[in-house]
């Protein structure tokens, strides 16, 4: 009766499927961004940095997601290894079966003082408020709500190119797009933002606009239409 997709590529493919008579294909903006959940108290970002040993003047990179192969945190470590600046720090939030492996790589690369696995962050607002830029290197994404939430609070994003990030990333406007397995591209993008604070701020401001499309209110409106369609029998 209704086939729901969350990106344009899947929507176009799904429209070629054979549905039952009266069946329709819909595209929703994921589960939707809840802006209220992302509002941080004044000074929350500074407090988060202090609690986790991130210098206030450091360029702080964030990543958030389950620690698995698809989320591709390994490329972040490879990129950080290429960056000699002692002023660049990275905090990776999330839990998963690759935690121990990532910790070993952090130690092997000599990054213990600049890269931290900080576990699941229940207070996402304070975590995001502590950052200067957001890393999103997934091999595959249907959409990628973590990146969209970062954009919604004004962080530029350095993302891997996939069918999810193509929904909202614009190269050189709200961040940078890299090939998922090219650490040197991630490192170069990080370096560009760290060395040009004004560009970093401009991209962060630009990131807020596309994120508005993915507000939870829009998802609710579309889902109401989906349920009406099904209840009314097409």
């Amino acid at each position: 009766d209704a086939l729901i997709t969350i990106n344009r590529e899947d929507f176009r493919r799904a429209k070629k499927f054979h549905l039952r008579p009266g069946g329709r294909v819909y595209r929703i903006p994921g589960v939707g961004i809840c802006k209220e959940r992302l509002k941080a108290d004044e000074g929350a970002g500074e407090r988060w940095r202090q609690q986790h040993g991130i210098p206030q003047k450091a360029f702080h990179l964030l990543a958030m997601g389950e620690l698995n192969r698809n989320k591709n945190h390994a490329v972040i470590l490879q990129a950080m290894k290429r960056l000699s600046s002692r002023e660049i720090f990275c905090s990776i939030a999330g839990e998963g079966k690759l935690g121990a492996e990532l910790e070993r790589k952090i130690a092997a690369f000599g990054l213990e003082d600049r890269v931290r696995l900080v576990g699941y962050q229940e207070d996402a607002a304070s975590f995001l408020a502590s950052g200067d830029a957001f890393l999103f290197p997934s091999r595959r994404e249907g959409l990628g709500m973590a990146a969209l939430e970062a954009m919604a609070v004004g962080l530029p994003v350095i993302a891997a190119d996939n069918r999810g990030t193509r929904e909202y990333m614009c190269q050189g406007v709200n961040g940078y797009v890299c090939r998922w397995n090219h650490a040197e591209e991630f490192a170069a993008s990080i370096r560009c933002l760290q060395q040009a604070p004004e560009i970093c701020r401009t991209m962060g401001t630009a990131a807020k606009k596309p994120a508005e499309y993915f507000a939870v209110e829009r998802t609710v409106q579309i889902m109401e239409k989906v349920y009406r369609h099904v209840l009314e029998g097409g």
Side-chain angles (χ1 to χ4, degrees):
D1 295 290
L3 179 56
I4 301 169
T5 63
I6 57 173
N7 63 64
R8 283 187 293 265
E9 290 186 26
D10 288 348
F11 180 69
R12 287 194 294 267
R13 291 191 186 100
K15 290 181 77 172
K16 298 177 182 178
F17 294 171
H18 295 287
L19 304 182
R20 67 181 299 172
R24 292 179 59 183
V25 178
Y26 296 86
R27 179 165 68 98
I28 65 172
V31 296
I33 299 169
C34 179
K35 288 186 177 181
E36 288 300 315
R37 189 178 77 88
L38 301 177
K39 286 184 178 179
D41 297 333
E42 185 175 353
E46 289 77 8
R47 291 193 297 273
W48 195 97
R49 285 190 179 218
Q50 185 175 19
Q51 291 167 4
H52 292 83
I54 307 296
Q56 294 297 333
K57 293 185 178 181
F59 187 77
H60 190 204
L61 299 163
L62 307 179
M64 185 162 53
E66 184 179 351
L67 305 182
N68 60 35
R69 298 287 180 200
N70 181 57
K71 295 300 183 181
N72 195 31
H73 295 104
V75 81
I76 294 176
L77 306 186
Q78 293 162 9
M80 288 293 292
K81 183 182 177 182
R82 287 167 163 80
L83 297 166
S84 59
S85 174
R86 310 300 296 177
E87 297 179 355
I88 301 175
F89 285 69
C90 180
S91 297
I92 300 173
E95 298 175 341
K97 60 183 181 181
L98 291 189
E101 180 180 321
L102 292 172
E103 289 283 15
R104 286 193 294 271
K105 287 185 177 181
I106 290 171
F109 292 167
L111 296 171
E112 300 101 316
D113 58 337
R114 294 193 294 132
V115 179
R116 288 86 185 270
L117 303 185
V118 296
Y120 177 75
Q121 295 293 302
E122 187 169 346
D123 184 2
S126 294
F127 176 66
L128 291 172
S130 76
D132 294 295
F134 192 85
L135 301 175
F136 199 58
S138 302
R139 301 181 183 203
R140 299 175 304 279
E141 285 290 345
L143 189 59
M145 294 306 299
L148 284 165
E149 289 183 340
M151 291 169 63
V153 300
L155 292 179
V157 173
I158 300 174
D161 180 39
N162 57 56
R163 74 184 191 278
T165 59
R166 289 180 203 126
E167 293 292 293
Y168 45 83
M169 289 303 301
C170 186
Q171 181 74 289
V173 176
N174 54 19
Y176 295 109
V177 180
C178 309
R179 289 171 289 181
W180 69 267
N181 58 346
H182 282 247
E184 64 273 16
E185 293 183 10
F186 280 91
S189 298
I190 293 168
R191 192 178 294 112
C192 285
L193 292 180
Q194 189 255 340
Q195 294 179 351
E198 187 57 39
I199 291 176
C200 187
R201 286 191 292 269
T202 299
M203 286 186 173
T205 299
K208 291 182 179 182
K209 187 171 183 180
E212 293 175 1
Y213 175 85
F214 298 90
V216 66
E217 291 79 9
R218 292 197 72 252
T219 295
V220 171
Q221 290 174 357
I222 298 171
M223 286 305 302
E224 285 178 349
K225 293 179 181 178
V226 174
Y227 283 117
R228 251 196 322 270
H229 164 243
V230 174
L231 289 171
E232 294 169 2

